[in-house]
Amino acid sequence: MRIPTGHRATPRAVVDRTRRPDLTIVLGCLLTAFAIVAIPLLGVPVVWLLLSGVVVGLAPGALVALMPGSVPPAQLAAALGLFYAAFYLGMAAMQPLAGLLRDITGSPAAPLFFAAATMVLTVVALGAFRWIERRRSTSPRP
């Protein structure tokens, strides 16, 4: 189901207007993690579920847009292929893992906490990406 939001409210417009993709990624991931954790903890889960559905869209486009600036143009297609392969394999693997956590803990909230943790780990991965990028740009080239 698509909800018409107009161009000004799209995640791409947020990144384009602010010119701060890292901030958009971090805020999108952390707000999503908060909303997911709030579902079992703060009551009125439909509100938090809707909020998570709105803010989860902030990060993915900005994450994919990091790729062209980090690999040579000749390797971009292969890099995007690896990115999406890892992304979808991760999606496939994480769902059974979340179910296993539910079975082990006996808590129906465990998969939600796991999902929130993966959103926070995305922020950590962005930090690692930027750290590697800085090291690569300051190291002498052979």
Side-chain angles (χ1 to χ4, degrees):
M1 179 172 127
R2 291 184 54 124
I3 300 172
T5 57
H7 174 71
R8 295 191 191 323
T10 64
R12 177 180 167 208
V14 171
V15 175
D16 288 347
R17 290 201 186 269
T18 64
R19 298 193 192 318
R20 299 189 66 186
D22 290 353
L23 180 64
T24 304
I25 294 166
V26 170
L27 280 177
C29 289
L30 295 180
L31 287 172
T32 301
F34 171 77
I36 290 171
V37 167
I39 292 169
L41 297 180
L42 298 182
V44 195
V46 70
V47 170
W48 301 111
L49 185 61
L50 289 172
L51 178 63
S52 70
V54 169
V55 294
V56 75
L58 290 173
L63 282 166
V64 174
L66 295 175
M67 193 75 66
S70 64
V71 298
Q75 296 175 347
L76 183 58
L80 284 169
L82 286 171
F83 173 84
Y84 280 112
F87 177 79
Y88 286 113
L89 285 172
M91 292 289 279
M94 292 302 161
Q95 293 177 31
L97 186 56
L100 180 63
L101 285 173
R102 162 64 171 99
D103 293 343
I104 290 170
T105 64
S107 169
L112 294 171
F113 296 144
F114 178 68
T118 62
M119 294 304 294
V120 172
L121 285 175
T122 302
V123 174
V124 173
L126 174 65
F129 174 80
R130 290 301 190 193
W131 179 76
I132 291 167
E133 195 175 49
R134 276 192 303 277
R135 285 199 65 208
R136 185 181 297 167
S137 68
T138 59
S139 65
R141 303 275 174 179

